[in-house]
Amino acid sequence: MAKGKQTCKILKEIRKQIAAENDIKLVIEECTYQGDCLGTCPKCEAEVRYLERELEKRQRLGKAAIFAGMTIGTAITAAGCGPLAPTPNGMMEHPRDTIVAADTISNDSVEEPVLLEGDVMAPVPDTMKAEEKKTACEKLELLEIVGGIEDEDIIGGEVYQLVEQMPEFPGGEAKIVEFISKNIHYPQAAKEKGIQGRVFIGFIIEKDGSISNVRNLRSVDSELDAEAMRVVESMPKWKPGMHEGEPVRVSFQIPIHFKLEDTQE
Amino acid sequence: MTTAKIFGISRHRLTVDGEGVTTLVAFNGCPLRCKYCLNKASWDMDKGRDYTPELLYEEVKIDQLYFLATHGGVTFGGGEPLLQVEFIKEFRELCGSQWQLLAETSLNVPFENVKTLDAVLDGYIVDIKDMNPEIYKAYTGKDNALVMSNLQWLLQHGDPNRIMVRVPHIPDFNTDENVERSKERLEKMGVMSIDEFQYIIR
């Protein structure tokens, strides 16, 4: 099973249970993405935000949120800083679906991987020193695609974050990564200065699938920001989001990770 | 303003270090120098990122729904989380009482830290290394007297079930017999939950 799938499945079950316990209508589409993931994705995160909003609505009406009977296990197995058990191929493995913490570190400035008992070890590049960056080549990673955004400045009418049928990039999520990887260029000046980081770009997928309202939600460097926005603006039309049988506008947010990698490795 | 260096945050850990869905927060700074430490980055106080409790709370509350639904929360590790007394106290004030806050700790910290944080934390995962002081010192470079007294105090001041003690087989440092002795001593002290496991060195 691809990395993250088991986590995804369990989290999805939790969301289903929350919805069922609280009489919230939640339509969950089966994820068709076959590759490794972080156990969460834009659709997953958007569902969580949707559930939170629905629970808030109920609380305002005096109904308490119900979280009864959601036990996913009580075994404390490990969280320490001791060594792991290796598999025959030399990778570290634990009999469960695990994640490398570095993949889920949510801020770029936290660069060291957290290695924990039971984590699958994967090679994580060391933080490069400034002089090493000068000889580095670029590497772009689309680490994750996170959920809908809330922005009152969005122009053009109502925007949804979670709809019955979420918009889809032509060919699916994996193709977004491929599209960005193929089309993005590491700005030379940023490369020479050793600037790296994750730029968050927000945008709207319009009713006709076109991209609008492209904006920078988290800046790293003006050139990296501009390049990330350029590529997002150049995306082809998506299959638009549908709600109650009608195409609707849906907000999206994509982090694009500009990362330098040592050529000597 | 209270700040702490944090070198990693790991979301969606499912029953790995506590009940339910947990987020692991790894602090820099550790009093021990274990030979096989996996997170030697935690020894370096120049690495990691400065967080305030507010900033951390804002970042991890994205999973609040999962925490509440599964009786999960945040597990503080590192490094040694019990060195971050004020930070964890302030974090608890921010997150409220419903999140489960656990510490993955060596307990090799001043007693005052343990006593203060026991009012804040819901549970402990104690990495005991070995109960034999000589083995402990050889492996960690430190004495284990504080570990023993802190563990004893925790067992006598609260529900023993909130403490899980991990007892590793440490190649070149302890034997199976040493591990058995550690377990026996822990059981005599009143430890209810013991996790015996093998360190395998890369």
Side-chain angles (χ1 to χ4, degrees):
Chain A
M1 185 180 283
K3 197 167 74 174
K5 280 287 172 201
Q6 186 62 23
T7 300
C8 174
K9 275 178 68 177
I10 294 170
L11 296 179
K12 191 176 289 177
E13 281 306 311
I14 295 168
R15 295 196 296 277
K16 278 184 189 171
Q17 285 190 52
I18 294 169
E21 296 273 5
N22 292 279
D23 290 328
I24 297 170
K25 185 183 174 191
L26 180 67
V27 179
I28 295 182
E29 287 180 50
E30 279 308 306
C31 178
T32 54
Y33 181 60
Q34 297 299 316
D36 291 347
C37 76
L38 299 172
T40 190
C41 76
K43 287 181 184 173
C44 298
E45 294 287 333
E47 284 172 9
V48 176
R49 304 286 86 80
Y50 167 74
L51 288 172
E52 285 174 347
R53 286 195 302 276
E54 290 298 312
L55 289 169
E56 277 172 24
K57 278 186 204 168
R58 280 158 175 72
Q59 283 169 348
R60 280 199 295 272
L61 296 170
K63 292 182 185 173
I66 301 166
F67 298 126
M70 293 181 206
T71 302
I72 61 168
T74 56
I76 296 176
T77 55
C81 50
L84 311 175
T87 60
N89 65 5
M91 289 291 285
M92 298 301 167
E93 194 172 80
H94 193 272
R96 61 185 167 78
D97 197 53
T98 53
I99 50 176
V100 173
D103 286 350
T104 59
I105 288 170
S106 53
N107 191 295
D108 294 319
S109 56
V110 180
E111 290 171 322
E112 291 293 333
V114 196
L115 301 177
L116 299 153
E117 207 68 47
D119 277 343
V120 174
M121 297 266 293
V124 179
D126 291 335
T127 305
M128 283 185 291
K129 294 182 175 64
E131 61 271 23
E132 291 171 331
K133 287 178 181 170
K134 288 175 186 167
T135 60
C137 72
E138 70 273 25
K139 183 183 177 189
L140 294 159
E141 290 181 359
L142 188 68
L143 285 179
E144 59 186 312
I145 302 163
V146 294
I149 52 169
E150 289 187 46
D151 190 336
E152 291 176 358
D153 296 331
I154 290 169
I155 53 170
E158 191 174 9
V159 176
Y160 290 75
Q161 294 182 59
L162 181 77
V163 291
E164 289 166 355
Q165 189 179 331
M166 291 295 279
E168 191 178 318
F169 187 84
E173 277 180 21
K175 291 289 178 187
I176 306 177
V177 180
E178 190 181 313
F179 175 86
I180 292 177
S181 300
K182 273 186 183 169
N183 291 283
I184 208 158
H185 304 288
Y186 213 116
Q188 189 61 30
K191 198 193 304 183
E192 286 169 4
K193 289 180 206 159
I195 298 170
Q196 338 178 63
R198 192 158 32 167
V199 180
F200 280 73
I201 302 296
F203 56 98
I204 304 292
I205 296 141
E206 294 287 342
K207 293 176 185 177
D208 65 355
S210 61
I211 303 296
S212 74
N213 287 272
V214 178
R215 60 217 177 281
N216 179 20
L217 302 175
R218 188 199 285 177
S219 172
V220 171
D221 165 79
S222 59
E223 291 197 358
L224 297 187
D225 299 348
E227 177 60 7
M229 287 179 70
R230 182 192 69 75
V231 171
V232 171
E233 282 169 346
S234 73
M235 284 196 291
K237 278 191 176 181
W238 290 44
K239 185 180 169 188
M242 300 290 288
H243 198 67
E244 295 176 346
E246 297 287 327
V248 290
R249 308 173 78 214
V250 180
S251 69
F252 252 79
Q253 180 182 348
I254 292 183
I256 298 177
H257 197 177
F258 289 85
K259 193 173 182 182
L260 294 163
E261 191 172 57
D262 198 323
T263 50
Q264 293 175 345
E265 284 184 2
Chain B
M1 185 172 60
T2 305
T3 62
K5 289 272 190 195
I6 289 174
F7 71 95
I9 296 172
S10 177
R11 292 172 65 195
H12 303 149
R13 300 175 64 79
L14 306 172
T15 73
V16 181
D17 35 36
E19 186 177 348
V21 178
T22 56
T23 292
L24 186 123
V25 172
F27 290 108
N28 287 68
C30 187
L32 307 183
R33 291 293 179 265
C34 300
K35 183 171 177 187
Y36 304 137
C37 179
L38 259 184
N39 287 328
K40 286 183 176 149
S42 71
W43 300 354
D44 188 346
M45 292 305 289
D46 293 330
K47 292 189 175 174
R49 178 187 174 192
D50 285 317
Y51 273 81
T52 60
E54 289 81 6
L55 182 60
L56 179 67
Y57 175 64
E58 287 303 315
E59 199 161 314
V60 300
K61 78 175 182 188
I62 190 170
D63 291 314
Q64 164 152 272
L65 194 60
Y66 291 130
F67 298 163
L68 297 180
T70 65
H71 208 54
V74 173
T75 297
F76 295 107
E80 175 51 68
L82 297 195
L83 296 176
Q84 308 297 338
V85 176
E86 285 308 311
F87 190 100
I88 294 174
K89 271 174 66 182
E90 290 178 28
F91 185 88
R92 171 61 93 187
E93 285 169 19
L94 292 165
C95 78
S97 60
Q98 288 184 293
W99 293 16
Q100 292 292 297
L101 297 187
L102 305 184
E104 194 281 325
T105 173
S106 70
L107 287 183
N108 207 328
V109 295
F111 168 64
E112 281 307 315
N113 294 29
V114 174
K115 190 177 173 188
T116 305
L117 282 177
D118 196 40
V120 173
L121 294 167
D122 296 295
Y124 304 85
I125 302 162
V126 179
D127 192 351
I128 204 80
K129 318 296 183 191
D130 197 286
M131 297 287 277
N132 181 316
E134 288 175 12
I135 295 171
Y136 189 97
K137 188 158 192 174
Y139 178 62
T140 68
K142 294 280 179 180
D143 190 273
N144 72 343
L146 268 177
V147 179
M148 295 299 111
S149 57
N150 285 332
L151 179 61
Q152 191 69 63
W153 187 87
L154 284 174
L155 289 164
Q156 290 171 349
H157 293 80
D159 182 359
N161 288 304
R162 75 193 188 291
I163 303 162
M164 196 274 278
V165 178
R166 308 182 66 228
V167 186
H169 291 256
I170 314 172
D172 302 330
F173 286 90
N174 66 7
T175 63
D176 291 352
E177 194 183 334
N178 295 136
V179 170
E180 282 307 310
R181 280 190 198 152
S182 289
K183 285 165 58 185
E184 283 167 16
R185 282 192 61 194
L186 288 164
E187 282 163 3
K188 277 184 189 166
M189 285 174 77
V191 173
M192 310 289 282
S193 174
I194 293 175
D195 175 33
E196 178 185 346
F197 68 106
Q198 180 75 46
Y199 278 179
I200 298 178
I201 310 307
R202 284 181 288 157

